[in-house]
Amino acid sequence: MKNIAVFTSGGDAPGMNAAVRAVVRTGIYHKKNVFGIYYGYEGMIDGKVEKLNKKDVANIIHRGGTILKTSRSDRFRTPEGRAMAYKVLQKHKIEGIVAIGGDGTFTGASVFSEEYNIPFIGIPGTIDNDIYGTDYTIGFDTAINTAIEAIDKIRDTADSHNRLFFIEVMGRHAGDIALHTSIGSGASFTFLPETDTTVEDLIKYLENAKKRQKLFNLVIVAEGNKSGNAMKIRKKLKKINEKYDSRVMIIGHIQRGGSPSTHDRVLASRFGFAAVNALIEGKSNIAVGLINGQIVDTSFNDAVTKTKGIDLEMIKMAEIISL
Ligand code: F6P
């Protein structure tokens, strides 16, 4: 294997640049030519490929976003799109690829690799922390710290006005961001995609809180929970009883940006290093991950079909310590 490539795909996550840097430098250390594919699978189809040297990845470890850009590609879901991508890889004689992204990225890599027999190694990069086979994904730690910083500020004004605040955080299908920000911010109550919490449950909590002279409440809402987004929950609550006045804050995409935390930089560097070593060892169709502090491999098949799930003990603990 002489030529390898790296790309980022799907939603960006702080720390992706640190992973790209580690891939490029580890690859060059092993005397490989390392190519960057820009704009994920879209760029693979359109031939946006450039050789990277050590200097191209200098001064990026602290930067959020991804220097390789990213996209979500519908064309890559089609056999025609994948055939075009294969031609591009052939043109550059690319024999192994490191794909940085979430489960959509790994699914694409798995299908393509089986069709064209090119080894792929995945690096879990998504703020959602929802990939099976790793305790942490790149970007999660930064995202929850960004959320916490904002929520600490909301806490001040909520306290001053004795107000109820709904704070919506990201996580369309997964509640790890919401659960961690809820515990870390000392919030009162949490709506997660993984649980069946209702507005009636919230009312019970609020009524008990009132009896305890708890005068302001922060409620964390994962965007993909079953009772609806923060605006919807606020509306439902008001409809049940006019007395529940509240405010909504949607933290939104700032959770995806910003300088990565040290945890994310180190994690991303370890993943990038491990991914190139895996390619060199002849591994294929696996994602690297971190379990109990150790780098492990998980097949793409398991990574995309198995659900990581949420820590039920932690949900219980969050409930108990917010009472
Ligand atoms: O990257 C994951 C994620 O942040 C989800 O939590 C969120 O629902 C989604 O991406 C939003 O992505 P976009 O706005 O890029 O479509």
Side-chain angles (χ1 to χ4, degrees):
M1 193 179 287
K2 190 79 196 123
N3 297 338
I4 64 173
V6 56
F7 69 93
T8 51
S9 163
D12 61 352
M16 280 182 163
N17 283 330
V20 170
R21 174 178 177 269
V23 168
V24 170
R25 295 204 168 158
T26 309
I28 291 172
Y29 172 82
H30 288 291
K31 309 223 172 336
K32 309 294 172 202
N33 297 311
V34 186
F35 292 83
I37 300 170
Y38 289 78
Y39 296 97
Y41 290 120
E42 281 292 289
M44 200 185 285
I45 293 169
D46 292 334
K48 297 205 166 99
V49 180
E50 274 171 36
K51 195 174 166 205
L52 298 172
N53 60 44
K54 280 189 188 177
K55 257 192 142 180
D56 291 321
V57 293
N59 205 21
I60 65 167
I61 195 161
H62 61 299
R63 282 171 56 189
T66 159
I67 61 155
L68 293 182
K69 309 282 187 159
T70 187
S71 67
R72 291 191 168 99
S73 175
D74 285 332
R75 285 191 293 162
F76 199 76
R77 290 179 213 276
T78 67
E80 297 75 30
R82 293 195 292 276
M84 285 168 76
Y86 180 61
K87 271 195 190 151
V88 169
L89 298 181
Q90 267 190 317
K91 186 178 149 201
H92 294 278
K93 298 188 171 57
I94 288 166
E95 298 152 293
I97 300 186
V98 177
I100 307 171
D103 55 2
T105 306
F106 293 174
T107 304
S110 178
V111 171
F112 185 82
S113 164
E114 267 158 34
E115 276 174 355
Y116 292 104
N117 198 25
I118 291 190
F120 271 75
I121 306 293
I123 292 182
T126 162
I127 63 164
D128 289 346
N129 205 29
D130 59 348
I131 306 285
Y132 180 87
T134 189
D135 291 338
Y136 296 105
T137 55
I138 296 173
F140 171 68
D141 183 65
T142 309
I144 57 176
N145 279 296
T146 300
I148 289 284
E149 219 182 294
I151 298 167
D152 283 349
K153 294 188 170 103
I154 292 294
R155 171 178 277 278
D156 291 342
T157 175
D159 182 13
S160 305
H161 287 263
N162 288 341
R163 258 182 184 148
L164 166 63
F165 260 89
F166 290 105
I167 299 151
E168 186 177 303
V169 296
M170 276 186 157
R172 212 167 5 212
H173 309 292
D176 237 20
I177 294 178
L179 180 59
H180 281 74
T181 52
S182 181
I183 294 168
S185 68
S188 300
F189 197 86
T190 319
F191 285 90
L192 301 167
E194 293 87 351
T195 58
D196 294 316
T197 310
T198 62
V199 174
E200 287 71 24
D201 297 328
L202 172 63
I203 292 174
K204 259 187 232 154
Y205 178 90
L206 293 175
E207 288 305 311
N208 278 327
K210 210 166 96 188
K211 282 185 204 143
R212 287 183 279 119
Q213 306 290 313
K214 188 170 185 346
L215 300 175
F216 77 95
N217 286 287
L218 305 178
V219 176
I220 309 296
V221 179
E223 60 176 338
N225 86 90
K226 292 171 196 153
S227 289
N229 62 25
M231 292 302 275
K232 274 197 187 137
I233 292 176
R234 175 185 193 245
K235 230 172 147 182
K236 279 186 195 170
L237 183 66
K238 189 109 183 140
K239 212 172 153 193
I240 294 174
N241 192 332
E242 273 285 316
K243 79 172 182 192
Y244 290 115
D245 189 31
S246 62
R247 296 289 186 272
V248 167
M249 186 189 60
I250 299 165
I251 303 186
H253 286 75
I254 62 164
Q255 290 159 101
R256 286 239 296 254
S259 182
S261 65
T262 308
H263 176 275
D264 277 330
R265 295 180 198 194
V266 174
L267 181 73
S269 301
R270 289 182 76 184
F271 282 171
F273 181 74
V276 173
N277 287 335
L279 269 182
I280 289 168
E281 285 162 24
K283 292 181 181 170
S284 175
N285 269 3
I286 53 124
V288 295
L290 191 80
I291 302 279
N292 296 331
Q294 300 301 313
I295 296 287
V296 296
D297 300 341
T298 302
S299 71
F300 274 152
N301 192 45
D302 282 356
V304 300
T305 57
K306 293 190 176 170
T307 307
K308 182 175 178 194
I310 199 151
D311 189 331
L312 298 175
E313 282 283 306
M314 258 170 86
I315 296 179
K316 189 76 207 146
M317 181 202 80
E319 278 171 20
I320 291 169
I321 63 177
S322 62
L323 283 177

